[in-house]
Amino acid sequence: WIGYTEPNATSTDAITEMAKDSTATIDMAASGPTKLDAGVNAAKSGSLQYKGGLLADTLTFASGLAQNGSVSFDMSAGGANTLTMGQAAVSGSLSYTGGANTDTITTGGGSGSTNGVMSFDMSNGGNNTLNLGPGNFPKTFSYIGGPGTDTLIAATAFMVFGSHSTVFDMTDGGANTLTFNGAAIGASGTKLDYQGGAGADKILASANFLYGVDTSTVSLGAGADELSIAGDTHVSSPLSTITVDLGNDTDGDKIEFHGYVNAGSYPISTYTIQNFKVGDDSILLGLPTATSQVVLNVASGDTQVTYSAFGSPTVQFTIEGVALTAANLSLTGGGDVLIS
């Protein structure tokens, strides 16, 4: 028990300013279970390294963690680990390596702002959950998933300010779900690289997602995958592209576009869908209310999809490598147009 007056959860005496303006290493590899309660400004303008053990590590940090400093958590030994933070890695860096058991991480609002770096390596497996507070927008964000279940839940305004890079490597497979509760991954200079694996990958966005971004790629890989965007999505300029690759499989992938898709004067070739399999995959369009409103134009073996309102296109993207006709359009029971 570190940061407790007695070995029970009600007798906290948080360690304040641990490793502030200095360096500290905590190695609990030979002990555990461990509980740590740290107050404000841990590793502020300093450095903190924590190594967990085989048993559960339960860590709590107040705000100011690794501001202008660095903190790393090595939990690769295993155990059911929980890390809860206030605002962290402002102009600093945060790295976390999980183990083969369950890892649950929560970040506070505004973490990573002002050119911070946040990285999470869960490749050892287990059932992992990352809860990101509102307004997390580090300069660089990376997440490596494992063969188990990886769940990411982001509050509003994730990676929506300034120029940022977001990378998800889920190629180890597993059942992966990313849920964005609010606008996410938008603004000129921002880009996303998502690489899925053989399991089911789900990306669920409740508002604008990939809107006004530089060249970005969503490769979902094998498995029954889903990309659902409730808001708008578009590139930042005619020189940028967004590519959604459904994977060369017949597992039944699903895309849902409920808002604008590349609306305006962007070239239709800047937003593309790859590896769409007729009869297996589907694309739902929430704006048109009749199949006759959707225009399919086949050019060089690709299908250009357009829906216009008020005299300008509000949905426009290209499905590569397949020639579709009106027979591939249907109306769902909810009044949306389905491409299948």
Side-chain angles (χ1 to χ4, degrees), residues 5-41:
T5 54
E6 295 183 27
N8 65 75
T10 62
S11 300
T12 59
D13 185 15
I15 302 175
T16 59
E17 300 187 342
M18 179 170 55
K20 179 184 177 184
D21 300 314
S22 62
T23 300
T25 299
I26 301 176
D27 188 343
M28 309 302 289
S31 62
T34 300
K35 289 183 179 291
L36 168 64
D37 186 14
V40 297
N41 298 332

Side-chain angles (χ1 to χ4, degrees), residues 6-143:
E6 295 183 27
N8 65 75
T10 62
S11 300
T12 59
D13 185 15
I15 302 175
T16 59
E17 300 187 342
M18 179 170 55
K20 179 184 177 184
D21 300 314
S22 62
T23 300
T25 299
I26 301 176
D27 188 343
M28 309 302 289
S31 62
T34 300
K35 289 183 179 291
L36 168 64
D37 186 14
V40 297
N41 298 332
K44 181 177 182 180
S45 300
S47 175
L48 172 64
Q49 296 179 334
Y50 182 95
K51 185 177 181 63
L54 290 170
L55 301 178
D57 290 88
T58 303
L59 315 179
T60 303
F61 288 83
S63 62
L65 173 64
Q67 180 177 344
N68 294 303
S70 65
V71 61
S72 65
F73 299 95
D74 181 356
M75 317 297 254
S76 57
N81 305 310
T82 302
L83 170 61
T84 303
M85 297 169 281
Q87 187 183 50
V90 174
S91 299
S93 67
L94 162 69
S95 67
Y96 184 101
T97 301
N101 207 317
T102 299
D103 291 270
T104 302
I105 307 167
T106 301
T107 67
S111 291
S113 58
T114 320
N115 298 320
V117 176
M118 298 169 65
S119 63
F120 304 89
D121 184 348
M122 306 300 204
S123 58
N124 287 318
N127 298 322
N128 308 306
T129 301
L130 173 59
N131 298 292
L132 297 169
N136 279 210
F137 50 97
K139 182 71 173 180
T140 303
F141 178 95
S142 63
Y143 185 101

Side-chain angles (χ1 to χ4, degrees), residues 276-315:
F276 180 84
K277 301 295 190 299
V278 175
D280 295 314
D281 304 329
S282 66
I283 302 173
L284 181 144
L285 305 179
L287 293 181
T289 57
T291 58
S292 59
Q293 297 173 343
V294 178
V295 177
L296 303 178
N297 178 50
V298 177
S300 301
D302 302 329
T303 299
Q304 299 173 340
V305 181
T306 305
Y307 163 72
S308 298
F310 310 109
S312 64
T314 56
V315 173

